[in-house]
Amino acid sequence: MKTIIEPFKIKSVEPIRFTTEAEREKILRFAHYNPFMIPAEDVLIDLLTDSGTSAMSARQWAGIMDGDESYAGSKSFFRFERVTRELTGFRNIIPTHQGRAAEKILFSIIGGKGKIIPNNTHFDTTRANVEFTGAEAVDCLVEAGKHPEVRGDFKGNMDLAALEQTITRSGVENIPACMITVTNNSGGGQPVSMQNIRETKKLLSRYGIPLILDACRFAENAYFIKLREPGYAAKPVREIAHEMFSYADGCTMSAKKDALVNIGGFLALNDDALARQARNLLIVTEGFPTYGGLAGRDLEAIAQGLEEIVDEDYLRYRIRSVEYLGERLLAAGVPIVEPPGGHAIYVDAKRMLPHIPPHEYPGQTLVCELFRAGGIRSVEIGSVMFGRYDAATGSLISPPMELVRLALPRRVYTQSHVDYVIEVAEDVARRKEALRGFRIVEEAPMLRHFTAKFEPLSVK
Ligand code: F0G
């Protein structure tokens, strides 16, 4: 088989700045060893997130110029609405400035004290928006999804038995909706099968509970279904995506992922009464329902992005480049969440650096070393992000996994950039025994990973 090449050529470029190891050591010290505090200009390859970091196409940029900035009834809104409705099949399409704004509006209406929202795995902002209303966010992920070394085709699937237990235990009247996140970002970017979405819907229908998709990475999920699920190999991805949406009663969407834009999102709902309430809230917090916190040009770019994302040459290249990075890291002895997900590789820092205990932050250690050695920015998803302190003893309670996410922005880096990342990781892996952990010297009471300051443990 021939190399799967980038299915585009480059019309506009953005230079990246090269730095020396000595410079990067200084940059790290200045940033208190926290990647969120490193100025982006000092980063060589930025794998912090795949969100809002996509390269837009020439047609999207043309759409930007073509944006209609009318306050009400903008033609760009009608294009956005038509494209989104045709793709998803949902009746009401409500634009928002990003995914979490859609979550905030939805849960402000259906959440509240005593309510429970199940999901395969809630993303942090979804969980936060559910919990902010006083409701409880419950994860019902299949067992395989919790084991990084276990290979499986659909490790993002909902555990149907756990979901039914949640429903019967909590009382159906307390569950205003159930979500499925495709792909499961917090669980390694793993996909959910069509069969699982269908069966989840069937179960929920018996109890009259609506299903809402967290659809950020719907196209990557649809492509995995095409590759892995019997009966879908010959179906166009667009049709597969349409079928996924057909089992749901609505979705929240961060257009910053699979709509290939730098800002935007939407809430889509079949229920007209719920949509009316959502639009009323939208007017208070985001804007008039035909722009919802966005400019007309943003709506044009989203509409165009949603047409481009289901292109199968693009998806083949997208999924293959993530898989290629994963395969090469495994070959270099770097353990990862297997199999590779759709948008990112998650390195298993706990297995890679067993000599660094969770309270010395193995993930943060790897994040800092990837930057120091190669100018690569990644993010820890482990004890820094999710660690809590025991109220009685003050000792750290760690999450089950210590991961480092290498998220690939869409259409931004070429294969030689990925090869460079692999070379840096190989170099770090060869010297891993010599790495030492970190301690936190300053932290916020909530979401500490964004602002915490660290100190290397070798420095006394
Ligand atoms: N749901 C999922 C599954 C996400 O991954 C994100 C964002 C959101 C909702 C919220 O969307 O950022 O537009 O408000 N994920 C980004 C990330 C931040 O880096 O994974 P948003």
Side-chain angles (χ1 to χ4, degrees):
M1 204 172 75
K2 297 204 177 67
T3 303
I4 295 169
I5 60 170
E6 288 80 10
F8 47 79
K9 41 186 188 163
I10 297 165
K11 179 176 294 216
S12 177
V13 298
E14 186 181 352
I16 48 182
R17 192 170 83 81
F18 289 86
T19 45
T20 62
E21 256 185 46
E23 283 172 320
R24 291 193 294 268
E25 269 163 29
K26 215 167 122 192
I27 293 163
L28 267 176
R29 223 172 21 249
F30 249 78
H32 303 280
Y33 303 92
N34 184 335
F36 288 99
M37 293 205 248
I38 299 174
E41 266 198 309
D42 292 337
V43 176
L44 192 62
I45 307 277
D46 204 345
L47 307 184
L48 187 67
T49 180
D50 65 319
S51 180
T53 51
S54 302
M56 292 213 293
S57 66
R59 288 220 177 137
Q60 283 178 297
W61 283 110
I64 292 274
M65 277 312 292
D66 208 26
D68 173 1
E69 303 305 339
S70 305
Y71 191 95
S74 143
K75 106 175 151 26
S76 301
F77 170 75
F78 292 119
R79 179 181 176 206
F80 159 81
E81 186 188 45
R82 178 180 51 77
V83 168
T84 309
R85 197 180 271 152
E86 279 171 12
L87 175 74
T88 64
F90 296 129
R91 289 166 55 83
N92 300 281
I93 311 292
I94 302 167
T96 59
H97 79 273
Q98 59 184 81
R100 70 197 70 180
E103 295 164 359
K104 165 89 179 152
I105 289 171
L106 177 66
F107 295 119
S108 298
I109 302 168
I110 68 169
K113 212 169 154 32
K115 296 287 189 320
I116 311 237
I117 310 287
N119 200 332
N120 48 351
T121 314
H122 288 271
F123 180 67
D124 343 356
T125 61
T126 324
R127 173 174 289 279
N129 274 305
V130 167
E131 290 176 349
F132 189 74
T133 70
E136 193 189 333
V138 176
D139 293 340
C140 302
L141 183 65
V142 288
E143 191 56 33
K146 300 172 194 164
H147 301 278
E149 70 289 353
V150 174
R151 281 207 159 233
D153 283 345
F154 292 105
K155 288 173 68 179
N157 277 357
M158 180 78 84
D159 181 334
L160 292 162
L163 174 60
E164 184 146 31
Q165 242 173 29
T166 305
I167 298 171
T168 48
R169 199 189 52 224
S170 321
V172 57
E173 67 284 3
N174 295 318
I175 308 190
C178 169
M179 295 191 82
I180 297 183
T181 303
V182 293
T183 56
N184 183 21
N185 184 14
S186 307
Q190 301 293 322
V192 181
S193 71
M194 191 73 86
Q195 185 184 349
N196 189 253
I197 300 176
R198 201 184 298 124
E199 284 174 0
T200 302
K201 174 65 183 174
K202 211 160 129 196
L203 171 64
L204 294 171
S205 294
R206 288 216 311 271
Y207 294 96
I209 300 169
L211 174 63
I212 304 289
L213 285 189
D214 178 338
C216 299
R217 300 178 179 87
F218 74 92
E220 289 166 6
N221 198 88
Y223 194 68
F224 277 122
I225 289 175
K226 184 179 175 98
L227 291 181
R228 296 178 182 175
E229 193 160 344
Y232 288 94
K235 282 224 169 90
V237 164
R238 206 189 150 78
E239 265 177 43
I240 298 174
H242 197 82
E243 185 183 340
M244 283 165 51
F245 286 117
S246 76
Y247 300 119
D249 302 278
C251 75
T252 55
M253 172 80 187
S254 168
K256 300 171 75 172
K257 285 82 168 174
D258 270 356
L260 295 165
V261 292
N262 308 119
I263 195 70
F266 58 84
L267 173 63
L269 296 166
N270 277 340
D271 182 330
D272 293 336
L274 188 58
R276 206 160 32 245
Q277 279 178 283
R279 287 198 181 98
N280 289 339
L281 259 184
L282 186 84
I283 292 177
V284 179
T285 58
E286 292 274 301
F288 190 73
T290 62
Y291 71 86
L294 293 167
R297 53 178 170 270
D298 298 325
L299 296 169
E300 286 284 343
I302 296 172
Q304 182 60 34
L306 287 174
E307 308 260 27
E308 291 175 12
I309 196 74
V310 289
D311 172 47
E312 300 189 13
D313 290 332
Y314 161 77
L315 285 166
R316 184 186 307 114
Y317 137 81
R318 169 73 177 163
I319 298 302
R320 177 60 195 151
S321 32
V322 176
E323 184 184 54
Y324 171 75
L325 174 60
E327 278 171 5
R328 296 282 302 273
L329 291 182
L330 279 172
V334 177
I336 63 167
V337 174
E338 292 188 61
H343 66 295
I345 290 297
Y346 295 68
V347 177
D348 186 344
K350 199 184 228 174
R351 273 193 292 155
M352 181 174 175
L353 305 172
H355 61 289
I356 303 179
H359 69 272
E360 294 178 5
Y361 306 112
Q364 195 71 13
T365 306
L366 182 58
V367 166
C368 287
E369 189 54 23
L370 286 171
F371 183 79
R372 200 196 63 78
I376 297 161
R377 176 153 71 172
S378 54
V379 66
E380 193 258 18
I381 304 184
S383 286
V384 175
M385 196 178 272
F386 296 126
R388 290 176 297 115
Y389 293 109
D390 186 298
T393 65
S395 61
L396 180 78
I397 306 171
S398 289
M401 295 196 259
E402 302 289 341
L403 303 177
V404 169
R405 186 178 78 170
L406 305 171
L408 289 174
R410 294 172 181 76
R411 306 192 294 207
V412 170
Y413 294 117
T414 62
Q415 185 168 344
S416 62
H417 289 116
V418 175
D419 281 329
Y420 170 82
V421 172
I422 292 160
E423 287 161 19
V424 173
E426 282 168 348
D427 164 48
V428 172
R430 275 191 294 271
R431 304 179 280 104
K432 62 185 180 189
E433 279 84 12
L435 300 183
R436 294 289 168 267
F438 283 81
R439 68 166 154 261
I440 291 183
V441 290
E442 203 184 302
E443 62 183 295
M446 270 171 71
L447 297 173
R448 66 176 181 169
H449 56 286
F450 289 122
T451 53
K453 296 181 177 173
F454 299 83
E455 214 170 68
L457 278 171
S458 45
V459 182
K460 283 279 170 311

